[in-house]
Amino acid sequence: MPMALGATVCAPWSGSLVGRLGPRRPLVLAGGFTTAGGLCLTNLGQDTSVPLILFAYLLIGIGFGFANAPLTNTAVSGLPPSRAGVAGAITSTARQVGAAVGIAVAGGLVAGTGTSDFAAASHPGWLLVAGCGVFLFVVARASQPAKQTNTA
């Protein structure tokens, strides 16, 4: 629920920010929240408090919410209008494939572990989530418009 709440609240806000300021700032926010949420869970253990887990999921959800609009905008704006539908479809498909692969990887990490080892087995998965957040910083940097030089 916290992840869904964060994404639901922040996705429209992200779209508004992209419309007013461009994709860079929402991508930086997405990277920050996703990285922070993933890092909160890298030391997950049996004694980890439920509020910390819920908070980390909220951070990840906020990151997801801020990421969707600028990623789609960046993909669509880089092509001529006649190809915008294709770019949007490819972005959506990539997001769905990424989610499916992520779930499969997470399941593979914890498969066959007992209840006492389950949390420790998830640590690489949370590091991967944090790494995806860091990757969003790279995408934000790439989405920054090139500096215009005055040739006059």
Side-chain angles (χ1 to χ4, degrees):
M1 288 299 293
M3 197 178 290
L5 177 67
T8 300
V9 168
C10 292
W13 189 13
S14 176
S16 174
L17 287 172
V18 169
R20 285 186 289 127
L21 305 171
R24 186 169 187 265
R25 288 186 186 156
L27 283 170
V28 168
L29 289 169
F33 282 109
T34 303
T35 301
L39 290 176
C40 282
L41 297 173
T42 56
N43 291 321
L44 186 68
Q46 291 180 347
D47 59 342
T48 303
S49 70
V50 172
L52 176 62
I53 294 170
L54 295 176
F55 178 67
Y57 283 173
L58 177 65
L59 291 175
I60 293 168
I62 291 170
F64 288 170
F66 275 117
N68 287 331
L71 289 174
T72 301
N73 174 274
T74 301
V76 172
S77 66
L79 294 175
S82 63
R83 306 298 282 172
V86 172
I90 290 171
T91 303
S92 179
T93 301
R95 190 176 303 129
Q96 297 299 320
V97 170
V101 170
I103 290 168
V105 167
L109 290 171
V110 299
T113 61
T115 55
S116 62
D117 298 330
F118 186 81
S122 72
H123 294 174
W126 295 119
L127 284 171
L128 182 60
V129 169
C132 289
V134 171
F135 179 71
L136 287 170
F137 287 119
V138 174
V139 173
R141 178 73 175 133
S143 72
Q144 185 177 11
K147 291 183 180 179
Q148 303 249 340
T149 57
N150 192 353
T151 58

